[in-house]
Amino acid sequence: MTTERSALVLATGPLALFQDLGRPGLAHLGVPRSGAADRGALATVNQLLGNDPAAAAIECLFGGFSLRAEATLELLLAGAPAPGTVDGAPVERLARFELRTGETLELGMAPVGARVYIGARGGFEAPRSLGSRSTCTLTGLGPAPIRPGGRIAVAEPAPQAPPWDFLSLGPRPGGGPAVLRGRLGPRADRVAGLDLAAQTWVAQEQSDRVGVRLRSSGAGPRWRFEPQRSEPVAHGSVQATPSGELICFLADHPTTGGYPVVGVLDEPAVGLVAQLRPGEHARFALS
């Protein structure tokens, strides 16, 4: 890789991945869509940078990412509010800033939220797999996780920004329990003793890009259901498990599942779930 429009990765935090809009339309082949866990944050990055909607950004878990520019780049931060500095000077979130040749961008750890998005004018380059630069943690499709010492390339920006007919700043993490809106799932009537709206739910440590596990903050529900066959599941599906936990499916979810789907979240709510860190709270508002 040449050093033209590239940067040297100095640190990655717990996990840093290339993510774009993913691989839609391949579920019938058993391929998850993948893509950004918080699609609203990805849209924000690309809209404000004037990128194509499908341009790839870096999704960084909690923060702790650092890179040094080998050419002048135009960057933007969105998602979880990890503090950013360029050679020690703070930079604003949701605002373009230049990282000149030899300068270093450093991200601290976000005080709230789980996923920080780093975008570049033109979008980051990475090998494509089935038409996408996204890394799928479930199947291993896509580029490997970003590692310290590696060089990452940035594509040349288009001469004219593509038209956008809306501006999405995405959900903002923090500020009390996340309100998860959507609709009741197709198997809600098969789970006896479950009232999603009657309690507050807490995100668990055993959560990742496949799904976020939630457990009641109180004594916990005592639901029951009959076993069922596996069936297709959609992005944002909420499964009830025999252990008393819910699983909210994110970008890397499997294409089928065997637990009853008791809710399906709308797109902004999936972004909120993707930004929950262990111990943070959520409530359901399903119609």
Side-chain angles (χ1 to χ4, degrees), residues 106-164:
E106 292 187 276
L107 296 185
M109 301 304 283
V112 295
R115 291 175 169 87
V116 186
Y117 289 84
I118 308 164
R121 176 94 166 102
F124 288 101
E125 295 274 30
R128 293 181 186 270
S129 179
L130 295 180
S132 170
R133 293 187 170 94
S134 290
T135 300
C136 178
T137 59
L138 182 66
T139 64
L141 282 171
I146 300 169
R147 301 296 186 197
R151 283 183 166 78
I152 52 179
V154 177
E156 290 289 340
Q160 184 174 355
W164 290 82

Short mmCIF file of all heavy atoms in Angstrom, two decimals, residues 106-164:
data_model
loop_
_atom_site.label_atom_id
_atom_site.label_comp_id
_atom_site.label_asym_id
_atom_site.label_seq_id
_atom_site.Cartn_x
_atom_site.Cartn_y
_atom_site.Cartn_z
N GLU A 106 -6.00 11.17 18.46
CA GLU A 106 -6.12 10.25 19.59
C GLU A 106 -7.53 10.34 20.16
O GLU A 106 -8.04 11.45 20.38
CB GLU A 106 -5.10 10.57 20.67
CG GLU A 106 -3.66 10.31 20.29
CD GLU A 106 -2.72 10.50 21.46
OE1 GLU A 106 -2.33 11.66 21.71
OE2 GLU A 106 -2.38 9.50 22.12
N LEU A 107 -8.14 9.19 20.39
CA LEU A 107 -9.45 9.13 21.02
C LEU A 107 -9.30 8.56 22.42
O LEU A 107 -8.66 7.52 22.61
CB LEU A 107 -10.41 8.24 20.23
CG LEU A 107 -10.79 8.66 18.81
CD1 LEU A 107 -11.83 7.69 18.27
CD2 LEU A 107 -11.33 10.07 18.80
N GLY A 108 -9.91 9.25 23.40
CA GLY A 108 -10.02 8.67 24.73
C GLY A 108 -11.17 7.67 24.77
O GLY A 108 -11.74 7.31 23.74
N MET A 109 -11.51 7.24 25.96
CA MET A 109 -12.60 6.29 26.12
C MET A 109 -13.91 7.07 26.33
O MET A 109 -13.96 8.04 27.09
CB MET A 109 -12.34 5.36 27.30
CG MET A 109 -11.05 4.56 27.17
SD MET A 109 -10.93 3.58 25.65
CE MET A 109 -12.01 2.20 26.08
N ALA A 110 -14.97 6.64 25.65
CA ALA A 110 -16.26 7.32 25.74
C ALA A 110 -16.84 7.15 27.14
O ALA A 110 -16.85 6.04 27.68
CB ALA A 110 -17.22 6.77 24.70
N PRO A 111 -17.36 8.23 27.76
CA PRO A 111 -17.97 8.09 29.08
C PRO A 111 -19.30 7.36 29.05
O PRO A 111 -19.72 6.76 30.05
CB PRO A 111 -18.13 9.55 29.54
CG PRO A 111 -18.22 10.34 28.27
CD PRO A 111 -17.35 9.62 27.29
N VAL A 112 -20.01 7.44 27.93
CA VAL A 112 -21.27 6.71 27.72
C VAL A 112 -21.25 6.19 26.30
O VAL A 112 -20.48 6.64 25.45
CB VAL A 112 -22.51 7.60 27.95
CG1 VAL A 112 -22.61 8.06 29.38
CG2 VAL A 112 -22.48 8.81 27.01
N GLY A 113 -22.15 5.26 26.01
CA GLY A 113 -22.22 4.70 24.67
C GLY A 113 -21.13 3.67 24.43
O GLY A 113 -20.18 3.55 25.21
N ALA A 114 -21.26 2.93 23.35
CA ALA A 114 -20.37 1.80 23.11
C ALA A 114 -19.53 1.93 21.84
O ALA A 114 -18.40 1.43 21.81
CB ALA A 114 -21.18 0.50 23.03
N ARG A 115 -20.05 2.59 20.80
CA ARG A 115 -19.37 2.54 19.51
C ARG A 115 -19.13 3.93 18.94
O ARG A 115 -20.07 4.72 18.77
CB ARG A 115 -20.17 1.68 18.52
CG ARG A 115 -20.16 0.20 18.92
CD ARG A 115 -21.03 -0.67 18.05
NE ARG A 115 -20.76 -2.07 18.34
CZ ARG A 115 -21.37 -2.77 19.32
NH1 ARG A 115 -22.31 -2.18 20.06
NH2 ARG A 115 -21.06 -4.03 19.54
N VAL A 116 -17.86 4.21 18.66
CA VAL A 116 -17.43 5.47 18.07
C VAL A 116 -17.21 5.24 16.57
O VAL A 116 -16.69 4.18 16.18
CB VAL A 116 -16.12 5.96 18.70
CG1 VAL A 116 -15.76 7.35 18.20
CG2 VAL A 116 -16.21 5.95 20.22
N TYR A 117 -17.60 6.21 15.75
CA TYR A 117 -17.40 6.10 14.31
C TYR A 117 -16.46 7.20 13.84
O TYR A 117 -16.66 8.39 14.15
CB TYR A 117 -18.74 6.17 13.57
CG TYR A 117 -19.54 4.91 13.81
CD1 TYR A 117 -20.31 4.78 14.96
CD2 TYR A 117 -19.46 3.83 12.94
CE1 TYR A 117 -21.01 3.61 15.22
CE2 TYR A 117 -20.15 2.66 13.20
CZ TYR A 117 -20.92 2.55 14.34
OH TYR A 117 -21.59 1.38 14.60
N ILE A 118 -15.43 6.79 13.11
CA ILE A 118 -14.44 7.70 12.54
C ILE A 118 -14.61 7.64 11.03
O ILE A 118 -14.44 6.58 10.41
CB ILE A 118 -13.01 7.28 12.93
CG1 ILE A 118 -12.89 7.10 14.44
CG2 ILE A 118 -11.99 8.28 12.41
CD1 ILE A 118 -11.66 6.34 14.86
N GLY A 119 -14.97 8.77 10.44
CA GLY A 119 -15.14 8.84 9.00
C GLY A 119 -14.08 9.69 8.36
O GLY A 119 -13.49 10.57 9.01
N ALA A 120 -13.79 9.45 7.10
CA ALA A 120 -12.82 10.23 6.33
C ALA A 120 -13.49 10.69 5.04
O ALA A 120 -14.27 9.94 4.43
CB ALA A 120 -11.58 9.40 6.02
N ARG A 121 -13.18 11.90 4.62
CA ARG A 121 -13.70 12.41 3.35
C ARG A 121 -13.19 11.52 2.22
O ARG A 121 -11.99 11.33 2.05
CB ARG A 121 -13.19 13.84 3.14
CG ARG A 121 -13.59 14.43 1.81
CD ARG A 121 -14.87 15.25 1.91
NE ARG A 121 -15.02 16.06 0.70
CZ ARG A 121 -15.85 15.75 -0.29
NH1 ARG A 121 -16.58 14.65 -0.23
NH2 ARG A 121 -15.95 16.55 -1.33
N GLY A 122 -14.10 10.88 1.51
CA GLY A 122 -13.77 9.91 0.49
C GLY A 122 -14.04 8.49 0.93
O GLY A 122 -14.26 7.60 0.11
N GLY A 123 -14.03 8.25 2.24
CA GLY A 123 -14.25 6.90 2.78
C GLY A 123 -12.97 6.11 2.88
O GLY A 123 -12.04 6.29 2.10
N PHE A 124 -12.92 5.21 3.85
CA PHE A 124 -11.75 4.35 4.02
C PHE A 124 -11.78 3.21 3.00
O PHE A 124 -12.84 2.67 2.67
CB PHE A 124 -11.71 3.77 5.43
CG PHE A 124 -11.34 4.78 6.48
CD1 PHE A 124 -12.30 5.36 7.29
CD2 PHE A 124 -10.01 5.16 6.65
CE1 PHE A 124 -11.97 6.29 8.25
CE2 PHE A 124 -9.66 6.09 7.61
CZ PHE A 124 -10.64 6.67 8.41
N GLU A 125 -10.61 2.86 2.51
CA GLU A 125 -10.45 1.74 1.59
C GLU A 125 -10.15 0.47 2.38
O GLU A 125 -9.42 0.50 3.37
CB GLU A 125 -9.30 2.00 0.61
CG GLU A 125 -9.54 3.17 -0.33
CD GLU A 125 -10.32 2.75 -1.56
OE1 GLU A 125 -11.12 1.81 -1.46
OE2 GLU A 125 -10.11 3.37 -2.62
N ALA A 126 -10.72 -0.64 1.94
CA ALA A 126 -10.44 -1.95 2.51
C ALA A 126 -10.91 -2.99 1.50
O ALA A 126 -11.75 -2.68 0.64
CB ALA A 126 -11.17 -2.15 3.85
N PRO A 127 -10.39 -4.21 1.54
CA PRO A 127 -10.82 -5.23 0.58
C PRO A 127 -12.32 -5.50 0.68
O PRO A 127 -12.89 -5.53 1.78
CB PRO A 127 -10.01 -6.47 1.00
CG PRO A 127 -8.85 -5.93 1.76
CD PRO A 127 -9.34 -4.70 2.46
N ARG A 128 -12.96 -5.67 -0.46
CA ARG A 128 -14.39 -5.99 -0.50
C ARG A 128 -14.59 -7.51 -0.46
O ARG A 128 -13.84 -8.27 -1.05
CB ARG A 128 -15.04 -5.43 -1.76
CG ARG A 128 -15.09 -3.92 -1.86
CD ARG A 128 -15.79 -3.51 -3.14
NE ARG A 128 -15.76 -2.08 -3.36
CZ ARG A 128 -16.69 -1.22 -2.93
NH1 ARG A 128 -17.73 -1.70 -2.26
NH2 ARG A 128 -16.60 0.07 -3.17
N SER A 129 -15.66 -7.92 0.18
CA SER A 129 -16.10 -9.31 0.19
C SER A 129 -17.61 -9.32 -0.02
O SER A 129 -18.34 -8.71 0.77
CB SER A 129 -15.72 -9.99 1.52
OG SER A 129 -16.16 -11.32 1.55
N LEU A 130 -18.06 -9.96 -1.09
CA LEU A 130 -19.47 -9.95 -1.46
C LEU A 130 -20.01 -8.53 -1.54
O LEU A 130 -21.10 -8.22 -1.08
CB LEU A 130 -20.30 -10.80 -0.49
CG LEU A 130 -19.99 -12.30 -0.46
CD1 LEU A 130 -20.87 -13.01 0.55
CD2 LEU A 130 -20.17 -12.92 -1.84
N GLY A 131 -19.18 -7.64 -2.09
CA GLY A 131 -19.62 -6.28 -2.36
C GLY A 131 -19.52 -5.30 -1.21
O GLY A 131 -19.94 -4.15 -1.35
N SER A 132 -18.98 -5.73 -0.07
CA SER A 132 -18.95 -4.86 1.10
C SER A 132 -17.58 -4.87 1.76
O SER A 132 -16.87 -5.88 1.74
CB SER A 132 -20.00 -5.31 2.12
OG SER A 132 -19.84 -4.62 3.35
N ARG A 133 -17.21 -3.74 2.36
CA ARG A 133 -15.98 -3.64 3.14
C ARG A 133 -16.21 -3.93 4.62
O ARG A 133 -15.31 -3.77 5.44
CB ARG A 133 -15.37 -2.24 2.97
CG ARG A 133 -14.86 -1.95 1.56
CD ARG A 133 -14.12 -0.62 1.51
NE ARG A 133 -13.44 -0.44 0.23
CZ ARG A 133 -13.96 0.20 -0.81
NH1 ARG A 133 -15.17 0.73 -0.72
NH2 ARG A 133 -13.28 0.32 -1.93
N SER A 134 -17.40 -4.35 4.98
CA SER A 134 -17.72 -4.61 6.39
C SER A 134 -17.11 -5.90 6.89
O SER A 134 -17.06 -6.91 6.17
CB SER A 134 -19.24 -4.67 6.59
OG SER A 134 -19.82 -3.41 6.42
N THR A 135 -16.69 -5.89 8.14
CA THR A 135 -16.24 -7.10 8.82
C THR A 135 -17.42 -7.71 9.56
O THR A 135 -18.07 -7.04 10.37
CB THR A 135 -15.13 -6.78 9.83
OG1 THR A 135 -14.02 -6.20 9.14
CG2 THR A 135 -14.67 -8.03 10.56
N CYS A 136 -17.72 -8.97 9.29
CA CYS A 136 -18.77 -9.70 9.99
C CYS A 136 -18.13 -10.58 11.05
O CYS A 136 -17.37 -11.51 10.72
CB CYS A 136 -19.59 -10.54 9.01
SG CYS A 136 -20.89 -11.52 9.82
N THR A 137 -18.41 -10.32 12.30
CA THR A 137 -17.78 -11.08 13.38
C THR A 137 -18.36 -12.48 13.52
O THR A 137 -17.74 -13.35 14.12
CB THR A 137 -17.92 -10.33 14.71
OG1 THR A 137 -19.32 -10.13 15.00
CG2 THR A 137 -17.23 -8.97 14.64
N LEU A 138 -19.56 -12.71 12.95
CA LEU A 138 -20.18 -14.03 13.06
C LEU A 138 -19.59 -15.00 12.04
O LEU A 138 -19.30 -16.16 12.37
CB LEU A 138 -21.69 -13.92 12.86
CG LEU A 138 -22.48 -15.23 13.00
CD1 LEU A 138 -22.43 -15.74 14.42
CD2 LEU A 138 -23.93 -15.03 12.55
N THR A 139 -19.38 -14.54 10.81
CA THR A 139 -18.94 -15.43 9.73
C THR A 139 -17.47 -15.27 9.36
O THR A 139 -16.91 -16.13 8.69
CB THR A 139 -19.77 -15.17 8.46
OG1 THR A 139 -19.52 -13.82 8.01
CG2 THR A 139 -21.26 -15.33 8.74
N GLY A 140 -16.86 -14.16 9.75
CA GLY A 140 -15.48 -13.89 9.35
C GLY A 140 -15.34 -13.25 7.99
O GLY A 140 -14.22 -13.01 7.53
N LEU A 141 -16.46 -12.95 7.33
CA LEU A 141 -16.39 -12.27 6.04
C LEU A 141 -15.85 -10.86 6.21
O LEU A 141 -16.07 -10.21 7.24
CB LEU A 141 -17.78 -12.19 5.41
CG LEU A 141 -18.32 -13.46 4.74
CD1 LEU A 141 -19.79 -13.26 4.38
CD2 LEU A 141 -17.51 -13.80 3.50
N GLY A 142 -15.16 -10.38 5.19
CA GLY A 142 -14.69 -9.00 5.20
C GLY A 142 -13.27 -8.88 5.70
O GLY A 142 -12.61 -9.88 6.05
N PRO A 143 -12.75 -7.65 5.76
CA PRO A 143 -11.37 -7.44 6.18
C PRO A 143 -11.15 -7.82 7.64
O PRO A 143 -12.09 -7.81 8.44
CB PRO A 143 -11.15 -5.94 5.95
CG PRO A 143 -12.52 -5.35 5.93
CD PRO A 143 -13.42 -6.39 5.38
N ALA A 144 -9.91 -8.13 7.97
CA ALA A 144 -9.56 -8.47 9.36
C ALA A 144 -9.71 -7.24 10.24
O ALA A 144 -9.67 -6.10 9.76
CB ALA A 144 -8.13 -8.98 9.41
N PRO A 145 -9.89 -7.43 11.54
CA PRO A 145 -9.91 -6.27 12.44
C PRO A 145 -8.65 -5.42 12.28
O PRO A 145 -7.57 -5.93 11.98
CB PRO A 145 -9.97 -6.92 13.83
CG PRO A 145 -10.64 -8.24 13.60
CD PRO A 145 -10.15 -8.71 12.26
N ILE A 146 -8.80 -4.13 12.46
CA ILE A 146 -7.69 -3.19 12.32
C ILE A 146 -6.72 -3.41 13.48
O ILE A 146 -7.13 -3.56 14.63
CB ILE A 146 -8.22 -1.75 12.29
CG1 ILE A 146 -9.19 -1.58 11.11
CG2 ILE A 146 -7.09 -0.74 12.20
CD1 ILE A 146 -9.98 -0.28 11.15
N ARG A 147 -5.42 -3.43 13.16
CA ARG A 147 -4.39 -3.68 14.16
C ARG A 147 -3.41 -2.52 14.24
O ARG A 147 -3.16 -1.84 13.25
CB ARG A 147 -3.61 -4.96 13.80
CG ARG A 147 -4.45 -6.22 13.69
CD ARG A 147 -5.08 -6.60 14.99
NE ARG A 147 -5.78 -7.87 14.92
CZ ARG A 147 -6.68 -8.28 15.81
NH1 ARG A 147 -7.00 -7.50 16.84
NH2 ARG A 147 -7.27 -9.46 15.68
N PRO A 148 -2.81 -2.28 15.42
CA PRO A 148 -1.76 -1.27 15.51
C PRO A 148 -0.59 -1.62 14.60
O PRO A 148 -0.24 -2.78 14.42
CB PRO A 148 -1.34 -1.34 16.99
CG PRO A 148 -2.52 -1.91 17.70
CD PRO A 148 -3.14 -2.88 16.73
N GLY A 149 -0.02 -0.60 13.98
CA GLY A 149 1.09 -0.79 13.06
C GLY A 149 0.67 -0.93 11.62
O GLY A 149 1.52 -0.87 10.72
N GLY A 150 -0.62 -1.12 11.37
CA GLY A 150 -1.10 -1.24 9.99
C GLY A 150 -1.36 0.12 9.37
O GLY A 150 -1.55 1.12 10.07
N ARG A 151 -1.36 0.15 8.05
CA ARG A 151 -1.68 1.37 7.32
C ARG A 151 -3.07 1.23 6.70
O ARG A 151 -3.40 0.18 6.16
CB ARG A 151 -0.63 1.66 6.25
CG ARG A 151 0.64 2.24 6.82
CD ARG A 151 1.67 2.60 5.76
NE ARG A 151 2.73 3.44 6.31
CZ ARG A 151 3.74 2.99 7.05
NH1 ARG A 151 3.85 1.69 7.30
NH2 ARG A 151 4.64 3.82 7.53
N ILE A 152 -3.84 2.29 6.79
CA ILE A 152 -5.17 2.29 6.21
C ILE A 152 -5.24 3.40 5.18
O ILE A 152 -4.71 4.50 5.38
CB ILE A 152 -6.27 2.45 7.28
CG1 ILE A 152 -6.00 3.65 8.18
CG2 ILE A 152 -6.37 1.19 8.12
CD1 ILE A 152 -7.06 3.88 9.23
N ALA A 153 -5.87 3.09 4.06
CA ALA A 153 -5.95 4.02 2.94
C ALA A 153 -7.30 4.73 2.92
O ALA A 153 -8.32 4.20 3.39
CB ALA A 153 -5.72 3.29 1.62
N VAL A 154 -7.30 5.93 2.35
CA VAL A 154 -8.51 6.72 2.20
C VAL A 154 -8.72 6.99 0.71
O VAL A 154 -7.79 7.39 0.00
CB VAL A 154 -8.41 8.05 2.97
CG1 VAL A 154 -9.65 8.90 2.74
CG2 VAL A 154 -8.21 7.78 4.46
N ALA A 155 -9.94 6.74 0.23
CA ALA A 155 -10.24 6.94 -1.18
C ALA A 155 -10.28 8.42 -1.53
O ALA A 155 -10.52 9.28 -0.66
CB ALA A 155 -11.58 6.29 -1.53
N GLU A 156 -10.07 8.71 -2.80
CA GLU A 156 -10.21 10.09 -3.26
C GLU A 156 -11.68 10.50 -3.19
O GLU A 156 -12.56 9.74 -3.59
CB GLU A 156 -9.72 10.21 -4.71
CG GLU A 156 -8.21 10.08 -4.87
CD GLU A 156 -7.47 11.28 -4.31
OE1 GLU A 156 -8.11 12.36 -4.16
OE2 GLU A 156 -6.27 11.14 -4.04
N PRO A 157 -11.97 11.68 -2.65
CA PRO A 157 -13.38 12.10 -2.60
C PRO A 157 -13.93 12.37 -3.98
O PRO A 157 -13.20 12.73 -4.91
CB PRO A 157 -13.32 13.39 -1.77
CG PRO A 157 -11.92 13.88 -1.91
CD PRO A 157 -11.06 12.66 -2.07
N ALA A 158 -15.23 12.18 -4.12
CA ALA A 158 -15.90 12.49 -5.38
C ALA A 158 -15.84 13.99 -5.63
O ALA A 158 -15.85 14.79 -4.68
CB ALA A 158 -17.34 12.02 -5.33
N PRO A 159 -15.76 14.41 -6.89
CA PRO A 159 -15.69 15.84 -7.18
C PRO A 159 -16.93 16.60 -6.72
O PRO A 159 -16.88 17.79 -6.45
CB PRO A 159 -15.54 15.89 -8.70
CG PRO A 159 -16.01 14.56 -9.19
CD PRO A 159 -15.69 13.60 -8.11
N GLN A 160 -18.06 15.90 -6.63
CA GLN A 160 -19.29 16.53 -6.16
C GLN A 160 -19.98 15.59 -5.18
O GLN A 160 -20.11 14.39 -5.44
CB GLN A 160 -20.21 16.83 -7.34
CG GLN A 160 -21.49 17.58 -6.95
CD GLN A 160 -22.30 17.98 -8.16
OE1 GLN A 160 -21.88 17.78 -9.29
NE2 GLN A 160 -23.47 18.55 -7.94
N ALA A 161 -20.39 16.14 -4.05
CA ALA A 161 -21.04 15.32 -3.03
C ALA A 161 -22.36 14.77 -3.56
O ALA A 161 -23.09 15.48 -4.26
CB ALA A 161 -21.28 16.14 -1.77
N PRO A 162 -22.70 13.52 -3.24
CA PRO A 162 -23.99 12.97 -3.68
C PRO A 162 -25.13 13.66 -2.97
O PRO A 162 -24.96 14.18 -1.86
CB PRO A 162 -23.88 11.50 -3.27
CG PRO A 162 -22.92 11.49 -2.14
CD PRO A 162 -21.93 12.56 -2.43
N PRO A 163 -26.31 13.70 -3.57
CA PRO A 163 -27.44 14.37 -2.92
C PRO A 163 -27.96 13.54 -1.73
O PRO A 163 -28.02 12.32 -1.80
CB PRO A 163 -28.49 14.45 -4.03
CG PRO A 163 -28.16 13.31 -4.94
CD PRO A 163 -26.67 13.18 -4.90
N TRP A 164 -28.29 14.22 -0.66
CA TRP A 164 -28.93 13.61 0.50
C TRP A 164 -30.25 14.33 0.72
O TRP A 164 -30.29 15.56 0.72
CB TRP A 164 -28.06 13.75 1.75
CG TRP A 164 -26.81 12.93 1.75
CD1 TRP A 164 -25.63 13.24 1.14
CD2 TRP A 164 -26.60 11.68 2.39
NE1 TRP A 164 -24.70 12.26 1.37
CE2 TRP A 164 -25.26 11.29 2.14
CE3 TRP A 164 -27.41 10.84 3.16
CZ2 TRP A 164 -24.71 10.11 2.62
CZ3 TRP A 164 -26.86 9.66 3.65
CH2 TRP A 164 -25.54 9.30 3.37
#
